[in-house]
Amino acid sequence: MKAVIQRVSEASVTINNQQVAAIKEGLLVLLGIVENDTKEDIDWLSKKIVQLRIFNDENFTMNKSILDIRGDIIVVSQFTLHATTKKGNRPSYIKAAKPDIAIPLYNEFVEKITADFGKKIQTGEFGADMKVRLLNDGPVTIIIDTKNKE
């Protein structure tokens, strides 16, 4: 499981010209899933995201988590995070999990991060053609891969 976490001043997701998610200060999480991802990956990544200290404290030091600032979260599925670009110029997405595996894992991740966060998060729609807007704050962008935990 791979996540690109962006600290945002605002973010939104639009599908078919209809806004389905919008937040002010918080996190935009782009989530890529591979076939061998497990509940352990979900649990570890969810906890890591909600405890990640990337928001400024009163001394302008990144020392606060999303829990501390009481911000919001949007999670968006993004299979392209697992693109392979070693050969040729057209990326291969063979490592990304197929929908029959990815959708249940995505839904389980959304449930877990909602529980860990303690309030409802917003999402895009798995497999949809989404327009994602964000105002990256900092900019702060963190990439986490559960296969590189150690």
Side-chain angles (χ1 to χ4, degrees), residues 50-66:
V50 300
Q51 294 181 354
L52 199 60
R53 297 185 325 181
I54 59 172
F55 292 92
N56 293 339
D57 63 15
E58 56 283 347
N59 298 315
F60 300 99
T61 301
M62 285 194 277
N63 202 27
K64 291 188 172 191
S65 71
I66 189 73

Side-chain angles (χ1 to χ4, degrees), residues 80-98:
T80 61
L81 292 180
H82 291 290
T84 301
T85 57
K86 290 182 181 181
K87 200 165 80 173
N89 293 319
R90 183 171 181 253
S92 168
Y93 304 107
I94 197 148
K95 289 183 178 181
K98 303 290 183 261

Side-chain angles (χ1 to χ4, degrees), residues 9 11 73 83 99 114 125 136 141:
S9 297
I73 299 174
T114 298
E125 181 182 316
N136 194 315
T141 302

Side-chain angles (χ1 to χ4, degrees), residues 11-23:
S12 64
V13 179
T14 302
I15 302 171
N16 296 325
N17 295 317
Q18 184 165 6
Q19 191 174 78
V20 297
I23 63 171

